[in-house]
Amino acid sequence: MDTTKATTATTLLTENNSVPTVLLTGASGIVGSDLSRVLLERGAKVYAISRNDQSLGHPNLTWVKLALESKDEVMEAYKAISPDWVFHMASYVSAAPSYDLVMPTFQSNLVSTLHMLMAAKEYGCERMIVAGTSEERVDDVKEILPASPYAAAKLASSAYARMFNKLYDVPVCITTLFSVYGPTPLKPKRVLPYAISELLKGKSPEFSSGKRRIDWIYADDAIEGLLKTIQSKEAEGQTFDLGTGSMLTIRELIDKVADIIGGSGRPVWGARPDRPMENEVAADLNKTQSIIDWQPTVGLEEGLKITIDWYRTFQQQK
């Protein structure tokens, strides 16, 4: 969690005008770490779920070590915390089509989501968000064909969330997160962190063809979308896209990064194979704007420059 950033938004309050108690899974992940920071800055009391021991402290932050694949552990922790808001952000993230990912994504993404939904039904909450992904989008609902085990598990998780809302009155909604980027060193193997780190060292990062088109959303914008959703009474039971609504190929993005950084390093295209069945979809912001009154505010050029500057400082301090 990067505590050097600052926000200017007002204090968060529940529907009863009290400071929210928040249960946050995936708190050490890319989005979860920034979400933790913003929640704390705006006055929330945060219980951050992690599989591993965490040492970062804050007066209103409590780390809870548990395995979300264990129903008993989830139920016990949820009952003790008694959250107002739940952000279920935890996920085993890999869009690779590998057979070896079938069980890890099933357990870490689908089973954990079911346990969180069951806990919310048993013990209640004011509102719950299940984080979806653009990877789970399909063009033909008659022939659902996820492009990876990760996409299949997330697709099923979203379906269960909708079912728990309609059948069991769990106040859950889904936020479809598109490709979030920003200042974070947590996932160095992801496309953008890898490219920036290598180019800052004057090296030439290797990629596939780079032809895949992706909707890139800056992390601060994604966080604001999540907070808008959790506070909206009209959001319950619905799905909201958090993206920009436009796409840029990986090649176009990384070439922009290389131009901003300068130096001797240049990306190498075609050095790695493309993945089969890669999904290409842009966010549809019509419902997002009309119901939760959210739209992105950070442009790509600005977001990339902030991210690159942060990485440059981060590498210098290492």
Side-chain angles (χ1 to χ4, degrees):
M1 189 191 312
D2 182 359
T3 57
T4 63
K5 303 175 190 176
T7 57
T8 58
T10 57
T11 300
L12 297 170
L13 295 174
T14 68
E15 292 176 1
N16 296 321
N17 290 321
S18 61
V19 173
T21 297
V22 178
L23 191 162
L24 171 61
T25 74
S28 59
I30 292 175
V31 179
S33 60
D34 271 351
L35 180 57
S36 299
R37 168 184 57 82
V38 175
L39 285 166
L40 292 168
E41 288 175 351
R42 301 186 189 181
K45 184 176 182 180
V46 178
Y47 288 85
I49 305 300
S50 176
R51 183 183 302 276
N52 303 310
D53 290 322
Q54 301 287 341
S55 59
L56 189 61
H58 186 283
N60 286 338
L61 172 65
T62 302
W63 285 100
V64 181
K65 182 181 178 182
L66 65 82
L68 293 172
E69 297 89 345
S70 169
K71 179 184 174 183
D72 290 342
E73 287 187 38
V74 171
M75 290 292 184
E76 181 180 355
Y78 194 105
K79 182 179 180 181
I81 294 168
S82 187
D84 300 303
W85 297 349
V86 179
F87 291 91
H88 180 44
M89 311 299 296
S91 183
Y92 186 107
V93 181
S94 174
S98 172
Y99 174 72
D100 294 338
L101 293 175
V102 172
M103 286 309 298
T105 53
F106 173 79
Q107 291 289 339
S108 295
N109 297 345
L110 180 54
V111 172
S112 68
T113 300
L114 274 172
H115 290 163
M116 291 298 297
L117 289 166
M118 293 167 73
K121 180 191 182 304
E122 291 293 324
Y123 302 115
C125 64
E126 183 179 291
R127 191 155 295 111
M128 177 181 185
I129 284 180
V130 169
T133 170
S134 58
E135 293 289 336
E136 69 190 74
R137 287 294 181 80
V138 291
D139 294 327
D140 186 356
V141 295
K142 294 181 180 179
E143 186 178 351
I144 297 174
L145 184 60
S148 66
Y150 168 72
K154 295 295 282 185
L155 183 67
S157 296
S158 295
Y160 269 103
R162 296 183 185 99
M163 185 192 76
F164 267 73
N165 173 254
K166 298 301 181 185
L167 293 184
Y168 311 129
D169 295 322
V170 173
V172 62
C173 48
I174 300 160
T175 52
T176 302
L177 290 165
F178 285 71
S179 291
V180 179
Y181 73 95
T184 173
L186 296 171
K187 298 291 182 181
K189 293 184 179 180
R190 290 172 67 98
V191 168
L192 195 55
Y194 164 67
I196 293 174
S197 296
E198 293 295 287
L199 290 167
L200 285 173
K201 297 173 187 174
K203 297 182 178 180
S204 298
E206 297 181 345
F207 300 94
S208 62
S209 70
K211 293 179 180 178
R212 185 189 181 191
R213 297 178 303 155
I214 293 176
D215 188 335
W216 308 89
I217 177 73
Y218 188 65
D220 284 2
D221 280 335
I223 300 306
E224 291 303 321
L226 289 167
L227 294 176
K228 285 264 193 179
T229 305
I230 203 80
Q231 295 175 90
S232 170
K233 294 181 181 180
E234 292 75 29
E236 183 178 322
Q238 302 198 58
T239 301
F240 300 97
D241 284 0
L242 298 180
T244 66
S246 61
M247 293 188 289
L248 199 70
T249 67
I250 295 174
R251 184 164 188 160
E252 289 170 327
L253 181 83
I254 303 306
D255 282 344
K256 280 182 178 289
V257 169
D259 290 341
I260 294 171
I261 292 175
S264 58
R266 297 299 301 183
V268 179
W269 301 106
R272 299 180 182 180
D274 287 326
R275 291 174 178 170
M277 295 168 48
E278 287 191 312
N279 201 9
E280 292 187 342
V281 62
D284 182 348
L285 299 183
N286 290 328
K287 185 166 70 171
T288 308
Q289 292 173 346
S290 64
I291 296 180
I292 67 170
D293 189 28
W294 175 90
Q295 61 183 2
T297 61
V298 179
L300 182 66
E301 194 83 12
E302 179 187 0
L304 287 178
K305 287 180 179 178
I306 294 171
T307 303
I308 291 167
D309 287 344
W310 187 92
Y311 268 89
R312 183 178 285 113
T313 302
F314 175 77
Q315 290 193 359
Q316 290 170 352
Q317 293 174 346
K318 289 178 66 177

